[in-house]
Amino acid sequence: MTDAAVRSRKPSLSKRTPAGGAPTAAHTADEAAEPRIDVDAVTDLLLGTWAATRREAREMIKDPAFWRVEGMPMPEHRERVLTQLHLLVENGASGRALPKEYGGLDDNGANLAGFQELVLADPSLQIKSGVQWGLFGSAIHQLGTKKHHDRWLTAVTNMELPGAFAMTETGHGSDVAAIATTATYDPATEEFVIHTPFRGAWKDYLGNAALHGKAATVFAQLITGGVNYGVHCFFVPLRDDDGAFLPGIGGEDDGPKGGLNGIDNGRLHFDHVRVPRENLLNRYGDVAADGTYSSEIPSPGRRFFTMLGALVQGRVSLDGAATTGTALALHIALTYANQRRQFDSGAGSDEVVLLDYGKHQRRLLPLLAQNYAQFFSHDELLRKFDGVFSGRTDTSEEREDLETLAAALKPLSTWNALDTIQECREACGGQGFLAENRMVGLHQDLDVYATFEGDNNVLLQLVGKRLLSDYATQFKGADAAKLARYAVEHTAGKVFHGAGLRQLGQAVADFGSTARSVELGLRAEQQHELLAGRVEQMVADVAAALRPASKLDPAEAAALFNAHQVELIEAARAHGELLQWEAFSDGVKAIADDGTRQVLTWLRDLFGLHLVEKHLAWYMINGRLSAQRAASVTRYIDRLCARLRPHAQDLVDAYGFAPEHVRAPIASGAEIARQTEAREYYAALAAAGQLPPSEKTLKKK
């Protein structure tokens, strides 16, 4: 909703400036005579492949019973979220991923798409449901076999069996291979003995552990016949029907956290707790009655990563939920900015709408472009996930690609969520700091997304290692001629000129205008060359620096790797940004409507150039951009922001949020009502001749 009712309908260009220097801009594309986006069609694009499921979930959470209540004490919040999980069961939202024989839909993509939307209701609900069905239930489903499915899946789905996912330990977070909890097989009783040998081995930060969990999927080092066969997963009962811990099991409540206080996170420890041999979730590794270990995957390393890869959906979910949470913050901030007025021109003119200020456009519109890119890249990730988990494309190569893609995108979306929500909060001033307008709560709840389901820097290191591995395969068996040709094609000079920007800088006069030349030199092809070229050179530089490691002893090789860890992680981050840009570009190409395609092309360009500007120092140091071209990047971003300003409301309306999803008074129309009241008040005084003249006016006379 904009304040069109109190503005002139005369089209106004964003570059017009009235007396006094305050900008005026068209608030809608209609006023600016610009191409219009088809809002409904863009909503379909953003909702993606599983749009129907997302709409179904959004319709369900219009019920206030699902909403976060600001300021609710932690105990009440925990019980409310537990009740909400039962409501999800009643609404048929808990079993989409299950095989049809267990009452599910056998639709993995729809399952994650539906759960991600719960972030609009209460992030605690989204994460607790993820613990119950995406971690605890999924461990049984993905790591267990039919006997486990028959025994537990239905009870997990209908909340008869709430559970915890006990992987992380106080002493080992992302380094799962080094966890210290043990599961030692006793052939005399055909039982595993689960034990946490010291305090650092306690399972920690576990949702459902403090209060509600009746069982847990516990990850431990499997030891049989005196041999440690690495990390495996076990089903371990925790509590009796009265909620008391079973013998040998203890724990603590993690207490209040920085956010997500509707989830009962806690710690668990085990003192020689015995569970039957059948409680080993044995899809990838089994122990016979006599203690003999067997696995279809002979390599311990590959077996470990296969088991963890089966649980990649947590990262996929966080990428999607962070993207949707970020969209909510942008919807609130940009809607408010399109209505809130602050400061006049100094010449007695109307106060200026916040989004008419260049700085306000610059701080929010590139973040809007980033968020759109995330929607497109997330849908690609979700499609790949669904292909693997449905079995349609379930190969070792596809699983590795899925793991790498999730590890590349989850860090970018979760970090961006925190940066964007904070910027949106500040852009709304004091209103943004009020809990009722949701920015503060969103930031608190999404803060931990950057470190759980894999610390972001650790995940990017995984991506970086994959990039190095792929880079190295180019040279296996390569002859001298091939290596020489590769070297010639990848010199800095060749890449510099290949981007076409030096030539452009030298021939600006030929185009007749600097602005026109900038557009011709920074469109899609050049953006892709800059972004892809950066990834290629960064990976090549790290690979060259690490080449001596093969001739060093292990300690020296580790030290060399550590010395270049930062560059490796930055290369992985650049790779993730390239993936997002490519996904956005693919999405734009598929748009049929001319106006929609034009506006989203501008938005894609803003995203691409925002990335280039963010790394301008690298591009200049490495000879990819001259100083003149670097300055042109910034100028073009300013032009794009002004061009997109009239489309801002359409672009956030296209998120498809209903008032029940937004629930922020400053984005509800309350601000425009206040502005209208104020303007009518002063207009009435002026009409009645009762408006006192200002001191400045009298002095001019």
Side-chain angles (χ1 to χ4, degrees):
M1 175 178 169
T2 64
D3 58 345
V6 293
R7 295 195 318 276
S8 167
R9 298 300 299 174
K10 182 180 178 180
S12 171
L13 300 178
S14 56
K15 62 184 180 182
R16 285 180 50 194
T17 304
T24 58
H27 294 193
T28 68
D30 179 55
E31 292 174 335
E34 292 276 9
R36 297 296 303 270
I37 70 168
D38 181 334
V39 173
D40 292 338
V42 175
T43 301
D44 288 339
L45 279 174
L46 296 178
L47 293 179
T49 305
W50 286 273
T53 301
R54 294 186 188 279
R55 287 191 169 95
E56 179 183 305
R58 289 187 181 185
E59 191 63 32
M60 176 184 68
I61 60 175
K62 286 181 179 180
D63 184 343
F66 288 103
W67 299 352
R68 167 176 163 152
V69 177
E70 299 295 341
M72 176 175 280
M74 186 178 72
E76 288 90 331
H77 194 186
R78 287 175 167 183
E79 290 307 308
R80 179 178 177 83
V81 173
L82 177 64
T83 300
Q84 290 168 342
L85 261 65
H86 288 280
L87 289 177
L88 292 178
V89 174
E90 292 176 14
N91 281 272
S94 63
R96 295 188 183 100
L98 287 180
K100 293 179 180 178
E101 64 181 297
Y102 299 102
L105 301 178
D106 206 12
D107 193 337
N108 292 279
N111 184 54
L112 293 199
F115 279 130
Q116 289 161 17
E117 297 300 318
L118 300 179
V119 73
L120 298 170
D122 184 344
S124 286
L125 168 61
Q126 185 246 322
I127 296 301
K128 190 175 176 78
S129 65
V131 169
Q132 174 66 15
W133 296 300
L135 292 176
F136 174 62
S138 184
I140 297 170
H141 185 195
Q142 299 296 333
L143 301 181
T145 51
K146 192 173 188 306
K147 63 183 179 182
H148 304 119
H149 301 166
D150 291 343
R151 187 173 178 185
W152 295 309
L153 275 186
T154 300
V156 171
T157 303
N158 63 23
M159 281 296 291
E160 291 178 16
L161 182 61
F165 181 78
M167 176 185 282
T168 301
E169 296 180 358
T170 305
H172 285 96
S174 297
D175 186 6
V176 178
I179 61 174
T181 299
T182 56
T184 305
Y185 184 64
D186 180 358
T189 60
E190 296 189 26
E191 293 173 317
F192 284 99
V193 181
I194 312 295
H195 185 58
T196 46
F198 46 81
R199 177 61 183 82
W202 284 22
K203 300 297 182 179
D204 210 343
Y205 320 118
L206 316 178
N208 277 344
L211 292 172
H212 303 144
K214 292 184 177 180
T217 47
V218 178
F219 288 78
Q221 305 285 351
L222 190 158
I223 300 170
T224 182
V227 177
N228 184 344
Y229 287 92
V231 176
H232 288 64
C233 188
F234 302 81
F235 181 93
V236 181
L238 296 178
R239 291 180 170 90
D240 61 25
D241 290 339
D242 296 324
F245 278 127
L246 297 172
I249 297 173
E252 295 176 351
D253 194 323
D254 279 332
K257 308 179 295 293
L260 297 177
N261 280 306
I263 306 171
D264 57 322
N265 294 93
R267 308 179 181 99
L268 296 173
H269 55 88
F270 306 92
D271 184 5
H272 298 92
V273 175
R274 290 179 172 266
V275 297
R277 180 173 64 91
E278 289 76 16
N279 282 28
L280 166 65
L281 301 179
N282 62 340
R283 178 176 178 181
Y284 296 109
D286 200 8
V287 173
D290 64 359
T292 303
Y293 181 84
S294 62
S295 174
E296 294 181 357
I297 307 174
S299 166
R302 179 165 290 279
R303 187 190 314 133
F304 171 74
F305 284 109
T306 300
M307 283 192 283
L308 263 60
L311 304 169
V312 70
Q313 63 183 354
R315 294 168 188 171
V316 178
S317 294
L318 290 181
D319 178 58
T323 296
T324 300
T326 303
L328 176 60
L330 285 163
H331 175 91
I332 295 168
L334 281 163
T335 300
Y336 181 65
N338 212 25
Q339 299 177 6
R340 176 74 157 92
R341 294 178 177 274
Q342 187 77 62
F343 302 112
D344 67 15
S345 66
S349 64
D350 285 338
E351 290 182 296
V352 178
V353 174
L354 292 181
L355 200 53
D356 284 353
Y357 288 109
K359 176 61 176 176
H360 218 77
Q361 296 167 19
R362 232 349 181 103
R363 67 195 301 193
L364 293 180
L365 294 182
L367 298 178
L368 177 65
Q370 165 79 59
N371 187 238
Y372 262 63
Q374 288 174 208
F375 272 102
F376 287 108
S377 62
H378 175 72
D379 196 57
E380 288 195 3
L381 172 61
L382 194 55
R383 289 200 303 270
K384 182 170 284 288
F385 166 81
D386 185 69
V388 169
F389 276 66
S390 69
R392 294 191 309 274
T393 60
D394 190 6
T395 65
S396 58
E397 293 80 8
E398 282 291 308
R399 280 188 175 262
E400 186 176 10
D401 286 348
L402 171 61
E403 182 77 23
T404 304
L405 187 58
L409 295 180
K410 180 262 185 182
L412 270 60
S413 59
T414 54
W415 272 329
N416 181 60
L418 299 180
D419 292 343
T420 300
I421 294 167
Q422 180 62 25
E423 194 66 42
C424 288
R425 203 293 295 161
E426 293 180 29
C428 293
Q431 291 278 13
F433 198 60
L434 298 180
E436 68 178 11
N437 288 316
R438 303 195 63 189
M439 302 289 191
V440 177
L442 270 176
H443 197 283
Q444 290 171 338
D445 285 340
L446 270 60
D447 195 340
V448 75
Y449 285 28
T451 52
F452 73 178
E453 292 299 312
D455 177 275
N456 283 354
N457 283 292
V458 175
L459 292 180
L460 287 180
Q461 181 168 286
L462 182 155
V463 176
K465 290 180 177 179
R466 171 70 187 276
L467 292 175
L468 286 177
S469 175
D470 288 351
Y471 178 83
T473 60
Q474 299 177 73
F475 303 105
K476 287 184 178 179
D479 57 24
K482 180 178 178 181
L483 291 175
R485 186 165 59 251
Y486 184 89
V488 169
E489 291 173 351
H490 288 75
T491 60
K494 174 63 176 67
V495 179
F496 184 95
H497 290 289
L501 297 175
R502 176 185 287 270
Q503 298 93 316
L504 176 61
Q506 293 169 343
V508 168
D510 295 344
F511 291 106
S513 93
T514 300
R516 179 65 173 160
S517 72
V518 169
E519 290 198 31
L520 290 174
L522 293 173
R523 289 183 179 171
E525 182 179 351
Q526 289 79 21
Q527 291 170 39
H528 189 260
E529 285 192 49
L530 287 168
L531 297 173
R534 181 167 183 261
V535 176
E536 291 169 0
Q537 182 173 331
M538 293 176 82
V539 173
D541 288 348
V542 175
L546 295 179
R547 191 164 291 126
S550 62
K551 300 177 181 178
L552 300 175
D553 65 51
E556 291 175 323
L560 179 64
F561 179 86
N562 192 52
H564 295 280
Q565 183 185 36
V566 173
E567 297 111 287
L568 181 65
I569 290 173
E570 284 305 304
R573 188 165 187 164
H575 173 67
E577 291 170 344
L578 173 63
L579 293 175
Q580 290 180 329
W581 185 93
E582 290 176 337
F584 200 160
S585 295
D586 289 343
V588 169
K589 290 175 185 175
I591 297 171
D593 177 67
D594 290 341
T596 301
R597 186 172 59 255
Q598 177 62 78
V599 175
L600 290 196
T601 297
W602 291 337
L603 196 65
R604 189 279 318 279
D605 289 348
L606 179 57
F607 172 55
L609 296 177
H610 172 62
L611 294 177
V612 173
E613 184 184 50
K614 186 166 66 172
H615 305 300
L616 270 185
W618 186 94
Y619 285 107
M620 296 177 72
I621 290 170
N622 288 275
R624 303 299 181 100
L625 284 174
S626 66
Q628 181 183 8
R629 290 298 92 194
S632 296
V633 170
T634 295
R635 288 196 298 271
Y636 192 20
I637 289 175
D638 291 338
R639 284 166 50 79
L640 284 169
C641 285
R643 183 177 288 166
L644 286 163
R645 188 268 176 264
H647 303 278
Q649 195 65 50
D650 282 351
L651 289 167
V652 294
D653 286 348
Y655 286 136
F657 299 144
E660 294 91 341
H661 304 135
V662 179
R663 306 194 307 279
I666 56 171
S668 68
E671 180 58 33
I672 190 58
R674 287 192 288 266
Q675 294 292 335
T676 300
E677 180 187 23
R679 290 160 70 107
E680 289 176 349
Y681 171 78
Y682 287 112
L685 286 182
Q690 298 175 354
L691 187 66
S694 70
E695 180 183 7
K696 290 181 180 180
T697 303
L698 294 175
K699 287 183 178 180
K700 287 180 180 179
K701 294 180 179 179

